[in-house]
Amino acid sequence: MTLANDGQSLFDRAIQLIRAKDGKLTRELLREPGGFGLGQVPANKTPDSVTSMVCGFCSTGCGLTVHLREGSAVNLSPTTIYPVNRGMACPKGWEALSVLDAPDRATVPLLRSPDGNRVPIDWNKAMTTMVTRIKEIQAVHGPDSVAFLSTGQIATEEMALLGSLAKFGMGIVHGDGNTRQCMASAVVAYKQSFGFDAPPYTYHDLEESDCIVLIGANPCIAHPVLWERVTSNPHSPEIIVIDPRRTETAMAATMHLPVKPKSDLALLYGFAHLIIKNGGVDHEFIKAHTNGFEEFAEFVKDYTPKRVAAETGLHIADICETACRIQQGKRVSFWWTMGVNQSHQGVKTAQAAINLALMTGNIGRPGTGANSITGQCNAMGSRLFSNTTNLLGGRDFTKAIDRTKVAGILNIPEERIPDRGSWAYDQIIDGIRAGKIKALWVIATNPAHSWIGQNQLRETLGQLEFLVVQDMYHSTETAQMADLLLPAAGWGEKEGTLINSERRIGLIKKVRRAPGQALADFSIFKLVAHYYGVGEMFAEWSSPEAVFQILKRLSAGQPCDFSGIENYQTLDNAGGMQWPFPAEGADTATERRLFADGKFFHADGRAKFLFEEPRPLPEIPGGRYRFQLLTGRGSAAQWHTQTRTSKSDVLRKLYPRDPLVEINPADAKQLAIKAGNWVVVESKRGRLKVRAVVTPTVPPGHLFIPMHDASTNRLTDPVFDRESRQPAYKSCAVSLRRAANDEVIDPTQAEFSTLKGSRS
Amino acid sequence: MKLGDAGSQTTLGANDELSLWAPARQSGDLIADLLRDQADLTAVERFSQYHDGSPLPAHGRYYSALIPAAAPGPGQQYGFEVDLDRCSGCKACVAGCHSLNGLDENEAWRDVGMLIGGTFSLPVIQHVTSACHHCVDPACLNACPVDAYEKDPITGIVRHLDDQCFGCQYCTLACPYDVPKFHAGKGIVRKCDMCGDRLAAGEAPACVQACPHEAISITIIDVADIKARAEAGEFLAGAPSPSITQPSTVFLSRRSSVDDDLRPADEDRLKPEHAHTPLVAMLVLTQLSVGGFLVDLIARLKTGHTITGLGALSLAIGFLGLGASLLHLGRPLYAYRAILGIRHSWLSREVAAFGLFIHAAMAYVAANLLLDRPMLTLGLLVATVLAGLVGVGTSMMVYHVVKRPFWAAEIGGTKFYFTTLILGFAASLVCLGITGAPVAMVVPAALALMLVTGAKLVFEAKLQAISLKSQIEPLNKSARLLDGVLKRVAGRRLSLGIVGGIIVPLFVAVGAIGADRGAMVAASVLVLPLTIAAELCERWLFFTAVVKSKMPGGY
């Protein structure tokens, strides 16, 4: 080094002390080209390889490109070329990795000791304890005294293994999934109308419609990437939103119909009435492909605009105008989510939408369909393969032919397959209360937060002799009540496939090491099988991909046939593949819809018109409880019971700081409630204290509370759709008052007794 | 238990109860195998089709229409354009910015707020995404005492120089939009740079890339247009006036409803601001110091004698006050840079004025102690007092220029100068009391203290009463905070003020008149801690009860 250089660098350093335009802090935020088609990325997270997998939050099923260093994920960005999301993701997807690092991850099995504390144990003791207790209980009370609650949040291969192990291996009869809480009404509606649980659409239909009818759906917040499809629709579509609240989606609509809660059924019948009357019916399609239209037409004769206006609270002119726009549409699509499904008459409401699509011939063509937007990332996998309500592959436990078929495919004795269906979720809970269910195994779901009528549910779980919870986190409301907690690896820490709303099967991959001794749910099920002594039965189920091959065999010949998908690599190369994809003659287009040929899945190939008189609200507001409570998603940054989304600083920044209730300004004024005040909302079942948000977007006499706070379900009323057994979360009667200074709420109320577990 | 130990441990435990169900040997192996499998990361080896790296950003196909093809010309700059009709409130922009810019967990450079309003029959909610507005006349840049901001002459991007920043956080007070955020862990402020190097490489900023609805784009705007819009007050309902900094962001909406009757969703939210404790101490103690010298000068001019010990006490406390200011800095090692922004930053000017003050004060105290040159010491005392009063004035301006009504000069200045007087008299009373000064000195000092304390308390009470009825929203909110969550401290401030500034001085005066020296000394010693405590409370409330100006927030 020369003297001059030395002088130069000293001079530079002196200057740097005064004026530092570069340095360590500046370099921390440096960006550089990331390669792999990524563009610039943070320099300290430049990947050495990338891989693509599907998101594990909602059913949209976005592709995420995971940035890897030495095989481990350091960052992610939405996959540019994935056909679902085309380079976009909602905040949950962007933050999918950061929730894996939470300090409350379950890292070792925890067993509740006699003094009530949770003690870390090893896997051997955990498995021995679990199997011993379950066998003891089964020996005393019968094999069906043990039940399981599965989930829409794990891979299809895992839920198939769970369902098969539980029912064929352990003799369990009753098992259901948390998908009961979001999808059951759509499932039943499709099964009855189409002959199979088959959402007919592809997301591309959102771009091809000239009239989009959204019923009880707020995709702006709940499915932002689907809303992207609406915003890129080149046909300036009519957007008709049926929702009691003026949501973001309603704001963006060309027509918003703020119906009274649960009067959507009458409204849809009213549309049918008007369309029939005005000659908008596609008689040719009806004649060729459906049954029951005549009866339906007769039935909706009573649904005059006048009657519908009275029942929905809408103006007659708006009802007629909307029916007219639907009738004028060339490619009309009907979309619904939880506003329809989570109802005391969800099945019939979904079918009312299906009826409209059928009678106007809006099905099987681009931009049409009666389309249920699913909730969870693998609700669709659960519907086909969780082996709970349906026998594997969308079959029927009560049909001998189906049992024989499955026994043959799996090479197990036919008598291992129960010949009766499972109780639904609420019936299992009732079973616990009645002392018929003594042990419960809960996997990747959080009923102590999410189940309707929470105080009662928690009390019921407390009656169990043995509660096993399998979860990523030891801190969920349910995990804290567990006698035995099994630490599970999460999304990103294991392999498998998920099926999204448009029937697209996508891959999840192992890009992070699970913390401590957490194991993939798949591995935990393998362990249970082994310790239970039925390991041999599942010898072929050696890995998720081996199970995928079994699932292919189970799907063959069913409407959901995907036996033509060779393996995981094929799925990965294709960017996910929709079912059906049979081994012979599969249509290989990237985005496909069902029923182009007008052939439905009933034996006669015809769809059915199904209908029923609307029933009154189970709990009509009045007297002390004069407000009608609506619940639903709070923000795009929140997911269900928040076990994951509350673990990201970024997501926490993006959702409300305090639990809240939205109140119409007129009601707030009358009760002297100001925005930001703490208020007490109370139903016959419980009460909670939340902050008031005063907003005209909820109608007078109504309140809205997001479902994400654990206290919300203290209020809800455990009533169910009669056909789908889905809980009616969306509506119950409550009271509202300003909270006294520093008022502390006793969540439990008088009739509620002590909980098992530490949560108060 | 460590991961690697799992196999052996589980095998150890296997013999007890397990034999009932399965062979122990295999069980141990199975658990160990599964744990080993779990630790294997397989994605790379199994799914390698993405390995053929492409240098070009594949995402360009979506955003190429959302960024300008060329750099801005003369008289132009880049600006964010937000199509409100397309902003659905999904907030992917915030998360995308976070991930693609490698921000720390608790950081966000973009935020999404909400406006609500409309009519009974047609309610309106409007989400609003915004980041730095890369203003034509950036308040952050003007405020920064170390010149850690620069506005790019070509792109107009207002860039923060992280290594130049010393963490004074003054920009976080100055920006009307609450954009720069202090990163406590790093001791500096960081903020949006519009992904300037991405734009230079033909890539879109992270937020533009991340928005599913193409609501955010980068446009080239004429600076003259920005100024004209700012002058006309065109920006966004519920946002601070654009006239202060001339923000370059343009919010578009074709909906007629997005107009002035919309209010920020967090408008009614009352939340105390950060207390900035070191600044509370710094302001009160430097003002005490200046006040001490001022009273010393008054005594000298009135009686021909300075007050024994007052100069030294004031100097010592002055040092304490300036020392406290260092505690406020995220990177105090670089405190020497504070003077760099003197041409535009009131904080630099405050540093300069108090630098002069403390040097003059040292010279005065030394001269007074060592030299018998009365005129020189008087000259130095006058210089000290003048520099100090200017210093207090710069403190006032530091807060005045950030345009928060509660910090306006007529409020801040009154408070600061009254503090100077109150604590000056209180300090003098201690010195007078301890040294057994004559009644003729003690009583006027005590009476003066009572008078200025009373005056200040009346001022504060009147301000509170007026503010509670004020139409000026931030001032009214400050009053509601003082009447609400801050009420206890406000009450303490009042009682400390009355006791320390009025009742105890009365005892001092009575003691002096009654020649009860013991009582007088005891009371005079109490005066200073009590009045300091009272003024510290007042200043703590000055910071916590202020309402900052910001973009509309959510709830």
Side-chain angles (χ1 to χ4, degrees):
Chain A
M1 187 185 290
T2 65
L3 254 178
N5 269 349
D6 223 13
Q8 183 68 39
S9 79
L10 263 179
F11 180 72
D12 283 350
R13 277 164 65 181
I15 290 288
Q16 177 81 7
L17 286 175
I18 306 296
R19 187 106 185 99
K21 293 189 81 164
D22 193 10
K24 186 171 162 282
L25 291 166
T26 308
R27 285 193 289 272
E28 279 178 10
L29 289 177
L30 217 60
R31 293 172 286 245
E32 58 183 37
F36 308 103
L38 292 175
Q40 291 188 11
V41 297
N44 55 9
K45 291 181 176 175
T46 319
D48 55 30
S49 57
V50 296
T51 194
S52 182
M53 58 196 269
V54 289
C55 180
F57 281 102
C58 88
S59 65
T60 306
C62 298
L64 301 174
T65 296
V66 181
H67 308 190
L68 301 158
R69 275 188 173 182
E70 292 172 3
S72 182
V74 291
N75 204 353
L76 65 74
S77 53
T79 307
T80 305
I81 52 166
Y82 201 70
V84 167
N85 52 315
R86 302 190 301 206
M88 300 300 154
C90 80
K92 298 185 287 291
W94 280 100
E95 284 297 296
L97 289 171
S98 59
V99 303
L100 300 176
D101 297 327
D104 56 346
R105 283 296 300 270
T107 55
V108 285
L110 296 175
L111 180 65
R112 195 172 299 282
S113 65
D115 62 7
N117 293 322
R118 296 194 295 177
V119 185
I121 54 170
D122 64 27
W123 272 110
N124 179 54
K125 181 152 186 217
M127 286 297 104
T128 314
T129 308
M130 178 171 172
V131 167
T132 313
R133 293 292 309 275
I134 285 179
K135 288 205 169 186
E136 281 168 3
I137 288 167
Q138 286 183 315
V140 178
H141 302 285
D144 60 355
S145 62
V146 176
F148 68 99
L149 290 176
S150 181
T151 174
Q153 295 290 146
I154 61 177
T156 313
E157 293 80 355
E158 295 178 326
M159 51 182 67
L161 176 52
L162 167 64
S164 304
L165 161 67
K167 292 202 169 176
F168 311 150
M170 299 165 74
I172 293 175
V173 176
H174 302 300
D176 201 8
N178 63 1
T179 42
R180 182 72 61 186
Q181 294 162 278
C182 44
M183 298 321 309
S185 297
V187 174
V188 175
Y190 279 140
K191 269 199 210 167
Q192 294 178 350
S193 293
F194 294 160
F196 196 78
D197 174 19
Y201 61 98
T202 162
Y203 296 151
H204 196 60
D205 288 321
L206 284 167
E207 288 171 277
E208 303 210 47
S209 287
D210 59 4
C211 179
I212 297 170
V213 184
L214 293 154
I215 311 155
N218 184 13
C220 281
I221 295 301
H223 299 93
V225 170
L226 293 188
W227 186 250
E228 174 200 354
R229 295 302 188 95
V230 179
T231 60
S232 45
N233 181 315
H235 309 293
S236 313
E238 286 288 348
I239 302 173
I240 295 160
V241 172
I242 299 167
D243 195 315
R245 291 190 302 144
R246 190 153 173 84
T247 60
E248 289 79 355
T249 310
M251 276 293 301
T254 53
M255 187 95 195
H256 172 215
L257 299 176
V259 287
K260 287 183 191 165
K262 303 298 141 228
S263 67
D264 39 6
L265 182 53
L267 178 64
L268 298 177
Y269 288 153
F271 291 155
H273 169 98
L274 284 164
I275 289 169
I276 292 169
K277 199 172 132 198
N278 298 334
V281 171
D282 184 341
H283 288 290
E284 206 175 312
F285 183 87
I286 290 171
K287 200 169 160 218
H289 304 297
T290 69
N291 283 326
F293 176 71
E294 297 310 319
E295 296 85 336
F296 178 62
E298 185 60 33
F299 169 77
V300 295
K301 269 194 179 147
D302 291 342
Y303 288 83
T304 60
K306 194 174 160 203
R307 171 181 170 182
V308 173
E311 290 183 17
T312 57
L314 301 171
H315 297 297
I316 290 179
D318 289 342
I319 297 167
C320 296
E321 173 64 24
T322 308
C324 186
R325 291 189 195 183
I326 293 171
Q327 187 175 337
Q328 282 167 358
K330 305 238 173 336
R331 298 177 306 281
V332 186
S333 56
F334 301 85
W335 307 79
W336 74 87
T337 64
M338 301 317 151
V340 168
N341 290 341
Q342 292 175 338
S343 160
H344 66 293
Q345 48 191 7
V347 173
K348 282 295 164 280
T349 310
Q351 285 169 339
I354 293 171
N355 294 344
L356 283 171
L358 293 173
M359 64 185 264
T360 54
N362 276 304
I363 195 150
R365 292 184 290 116
T368 65
N371 307 329
S372 149
I373 306 174
T374 315
Q376 303 180 76
C377 59
N378 202 20
M380 292 286 291
S382 162
R383 284 150 75 158
L384 294 176
F385 290 108
S386 66
N387 209 28
T388 51
T389 309
N390 299 326
L391 179 58
L392 295 168
R395 294 183 172 84
D396 192 339
F397 279 102
T398 60
K399 286 188 183 155
I401 181 170
D402 284 357
R403 294 198 299 275
T404 312
K405 177 99 185 168
V406 168
I409 293 170
L410 299 182
N411 194 20
I412 57 171
E414 200 178 316
E415 61 273 16
R416 298 303 293 250
I417 302 179
D419 58 2
R420 50 180 168 143
S422 164
W423 282 342
Y425 203 135
D426 66 301
Q427 294 161 326
I428 291 175
I429 303 299
D430 285 344
I432 300 171
R433 209 169 294 136
K436 290 177 185 157
I437 301 288
K438 297 290 188 184
L440 186 67
W441 182 12
V442 178
I443 299 97
T445 186
N446 187 12
H449 175 141
S450 66
W451 190 247
I452 196 162
Q454 186 185 103
N455 287 346
Q456 193 188 33
L457 181 272
R458 289 194 182 193
E459 190 183 46
T460 305
L461 290 183
Q463 292 174 12
L464 286 164
E465 285 181 22
F466 191 48
L467 173 63
V468 184
V469 175
Q470 185 169 323
D471 205 285
M472 285 171 70
Y473 302 98
H474 63 67
S475 57
T476 76
E477 287 80 2
T478 314
Q480 294 192 48
M481 299 178 73
D483 296 302
L484 177 65
L485 176 77
L486 304 177
W491 172 94
E493 298 166 346
K494 58 183 185 179
E495 285 178 358
T497 59
L498 309 177
I499 309 179
N500 79 353
S501 283
E502 54 165 4
R503 314 176 314 282
R504 184 179 305 278
I505 305 167
L507 270 184
I508 57 171
K509 300 175 187 174
K510 204 159 36 152
V511 294
R512 272 284 180 91
R513 287 185 178 86
Q517 296 191 47
L519 285 174
D521 294 287
F522 190 87
S523 298
I524 298 175
F525 301 140
K526 287 288 285 179
L527 272 182
V528 175
H530 177 81
Y531 276 75
Y532 200 89
V534 292
E536 275 308 304
M537 183 185 275
F538 298 97
E540 197 200 336
W541 303 56
S542 57
S543 70
E545 188 156 13
V547 174
F548 184 74
Q549 296 301 332
I550 299 173
L551 300 183
K552 278 168 58 180
R553 299 203 305 261
L554 286 163
S555 77
Q558 293 289 97
C560 61
D561 190 340
F562 55 84
S563 55
I565 301 174
E566 193 179 340
N567 54 26
Y568 280 1
Q569 191 68 56
T570 323
L571 276 176
D572 200 42
N573 294 344
M577 295 163 87
Q578 287 175 293
W579 66 256
F581 201 96
E584 300 292 326
D587 177 356
T588 56
T590 313
E591 296 188 291
R592 290 178 282 124
R593 65 189 61 79
L594 302 178
F595 308 135
D597 55 2
K599 281 203 184 112
F600 295 89
F601 298 121
H602 283 299
D604 61 0
R606 290 166 171 269
K608 282 183 188 160
F609 283 89
L610 296 163
F611 49 88
E612 190 180 278
E613 279 297 331
R615 286 189 300 277
L617 282 171
E619 195 170 60
I620 295 163
R624 187 178 163 197
Y625 303 102
R626 70 179 177 88
F627 287 93
Q628 188 154 14
L629 175 70
L630 311 170
T631 67
R633 187 175 304 272
S635 74
Q638 288 167 293
W639 180 249
H640 293 181
T641 72
Q642 295 247 77
T643 55
R644 278 183 291 170
T645 47
S646 68
K647 308 297 154 53
S648 150
D649 265 341
V650 177
L651 297 181
R652 274 202 301 275
K653 253 185 222 296
L654 300 183
Y655 60 72
R657 285 151 280 223
D658 299 313
L660 61 87
V661 57
E662 293 182 7
I663 306 167
N664 185 277
D667 292 326
K669 194 173 169 191
Q670 199 204 343
L671 295 168
I673 291 167
K674 289 212 180 83
N677 286 163
W678 287 99
V679 295
V680 175
V681 184
E682 183 170 347
S683 76
K684 283 177 187 160
R685 295 155 294 278
R687 63 179 87 141
L688 50 79
K689 185 174 149 183
V690 286
R691 257 193 213 282
V693 167
V694 178
T695 168
T697 54
V698 283
H702 295 65
L703 304 175
F704 174 77
I705 301 183
M707 64 178 166
H708 310 292
D709 188 66
S711 57
T712 306
N713 278 318
R714 287 179 203 158
L715 304 179
T716 48
D717 184 14
V719 292
F720 305 88
D721 181 289
R722 287 194 305 201
E723 292 166 288
S724 69
R725 309 303 309 165
Q726 178 155 357
Y729 285 101
K730 296 289 184 188
S731 155
C732 69
V734 295
S735 68
L736 171 71
R737 65 172 167 83
R738 216 177 138 160
N741 278 347
D742 302 325
E743 179 172 351
V744 179
I745 290 295
D746 170 16
T748 58
Q749 291 204 305
E751 73 272 14
F752 181 51
S753 61
T754 327
L755 291 178
K756 190 170 173 180
S758 57
R759 182 103 181 164
S760 62
Chain B
M1 188 195 291
K2 278 191 301 210
L3 202 61
D5 298 344
S8 55
Q9 290 215 9
T10 44
T11 317
L12 270 181
N15 294 328
D16 327 336
E17 306 144 86
L18 194 68
S19 47
L20 265 174
W21 315 118
R25 183 183 50 77
Q26 279 183 21
S27 312
D29 291 348
L30 181 58
I31 290 169
D33 287 350
L34 292 173
L35 283 167
R36 207 175 307 116
D37 280 355
Q38 191 64 53
D40 268 351
L41 296 178
T42 52
V44 172
E45 61 191 70
R46 296 198 56 197
F47 307 103
S48 55
Q49 82 278 22
Y50 286 99
H51 275 237
D52 45 338
S54 147
L56 289 172
H59 225 61
R61 71 184 80 174
Y62 302 128
Y63 61 62
S64 58
L66 301 175
I67 52 173
Q76 295 181 317
Q77 72 160 78
Y78 285 140
F80 284 116
E81 187 174 281
V82 176
D83 185 341
L84 292 173
D85 299 347
R86 287 182 159 267
C87 178
S88 68
C90 78
K91 309 187 186 182
C93 49
V94 182
C97 166
H98 187 272
S99 293
L100 291 181
N101 289 324
L103 304 189
D104 275 352
E105 264 305 276
N106 49 10
E107 261 185 318
W109 284 353
R110 185 165 271 283
D111 206 354
V112 179
M114 191 196 274
L115 294 167
I116 50 179
T119 58
F120 178 79
S121 56
L122 196 65
V124 172
I125 41 169
Q126 176 65 59
H127 292 274
V128 181
T129 175
S130 75
C132 175
H133 299 305
H134 300 278
C135 305
V136 170
D137 187 15
C140 53
L141 185 149
N142 293 332
C144 181
V146 299
D147 286 345
Y149 283 92
E150 51 182 30
K151 185 165 175 70
D152 189 281
I154 294 168
T155 62
I157 291 173
V158 178
R159 187 175 161 229
H160 182 258
L161 306 174
D162 293 351
D163 279 285
Q164 180 66 8
C165 176
F166 73 155
C168 74
Q169 302 155 61
Y170 188 35
C171 54
T172 67
L173 304 182
C175 173
Y177 307 107
D178 194 27
V179 165
K181 292 276 167 15
F182 184 60
H183 187 307
K186 305 205 178 290
I188 58 165
V189 158
R190 308 212 285 193
K191 77 158 197 66
C192 159
D193 64 349
M194 207 188 255
C195 297
D197 44 358
R198 283 202 171 97
L199 281 168
E203 295 180 26
C207 52
V208 176
Q209 293 192 30
C211 177
H213 315 315
E214 301 183 347
I216 311 170
S217 58
I218 303 294
T219 54
I220 292 174
I221 342 172
D222 290 336
V223 171
D225 281 355
I226 300 174
K227 289 182 172 174
R229 259 204 309 273
E231 216 159 287
E234 287 170 28
F235 189 47
L236 174 76
S241 162
S243 64
I244 307 169
T245 62
Q246 300 164 345
S248 69
T249 307
V250 177
F251 293 98
L252 300 175
S253 178
R254 284 166 298 278
R255 289 178 195 150
S256 57
S257 48
V258 180
D259 53 23
D260 293 338
D261 69 342
L262 293 184
R263 302 177 304 111
D266 61 345
E267 189 184 63
D268 292 306
R269 193 174 178 84
L270 281 180
K271 193 175 151 250
E273 282 299 308
H274 195 287
H276 295 295
T277 317
L279 294 183
V280 170
M282 177 260 171
L283 286 172
V284 168
L285 296 181
T286 53
Q287 283 156 22
L288 187 159
S289 182
V290 173
F293 288 110
L294 175 64
V295 174
D296 214 14
L297 179 62
I298 295 170
R300 168 76 189 259
L301 294 176
K302 284 251 178 193
T303 66
H305 301 286
T306 53
I307 296 168
T308 312
L310 182 55
L313 176 66
S314 304
L315 180 63
I317 291 182
F319 272 118
L320 268 183
L322 295 184
S325 73
L326 290 180
L327 296 179
H328 178 66
L329 297 180
R331 299 205 300 162
L333 276 180
Y334 297 90
Y336 62 85
R337 288 179 184 161
I339 205 82
L340 292 174
I342 193 148
R343 278 177 304 160
H344 51 83
S345 168
W346 277 101
L347 195 59
S348 290
R349 291 168 193 166
E350 188 189 34
V351 171
F354 277 112
L356 272 179
F357 162 74
I358 207 76
H359 283 92
M362 279 192 292
Y364 159 68
V365 171
N368 204 19
L369 206 66
L370 304 173
L371 306 176
D372 189 19
R373 303 266 303 273
M375 285 321 286
L376 176 69
T377 48
L378 179 60
L380 285 171
L381 180 55
V382 169
T384 305
V385 169
L386 284 178
L389 290 176
V390 169
V392 175
T394 58
S395 295
M396 171 187 88
M397 288 307 291
V398 162
Y399 299 96
H400 173 74
V401 294
V402 306
K403 296 197 160 59
R404 299 179 177 182
F406 193 60
W407 283 355
E410 57 268 32
I411 296 174
T414 309
K415 287 183 175 172
F416 290 6
Y417 280 112
F418 265 112
T419 302
T420 308
L421 289 172
I422 289 168
L423 295 182
F425 284 120
S428 73
L429 209 52
V430 180
C431 296
L432 293 169
I434 291 175
T435 55
V439 181
M441 297 273 285
V442 175
V443 173
L447 289 179
L449 174 57
M450 291 158 68
L451 191 71
V452 289
T453 304
K456 189 176 183 196
L457 292 177
V458 168
F459 170 79
E460 287 172 25
K462 268 187 84 170
L463 175 67
Q464 175 69 3
I466 292 167
S467 303
L468 274 175
K469 288 181 218 143
S470 172
Q471 298 295 313
I472 304 168
E473 183 73 28
L475 210 52
N476 178 260
K477 275 191 176 177
S478 293
R480 275 154 57 203
L481 277 166
L482 288 168
D483 205 30
V485 284
L486 300 173
K487 197 165 188 164
R488 262 172 51 193
V489 182
R492 213 164 288 163
R493 184 270 174 280
L494 182 65
S495 45
L496 280 168
I498 291 171
V499 174
I502 296 174
I503 296 174
V504 181
L506 189 64
F507 276 101
V508 178
V510 170
I513 293 165
D516 182 348
R517 186 148 192 273
M520 185 190 77
V521 172
S524 65
V525 169
L526 273 179
V527 165
L528 193 57
L530 286 171
T531 46
I532 289 178
E535 295 308 295
L536 286 173
C537 286
E538 178 266 295
R539 206 49 47 86
W540 188 86
L541 293 169
F542 179 77
F543 282 100
T544 51
V546 78
V547 172
K548 73 177 170 196
S549 146
K550 60 193 266 302
M551 291 296 284
Y555 35 77

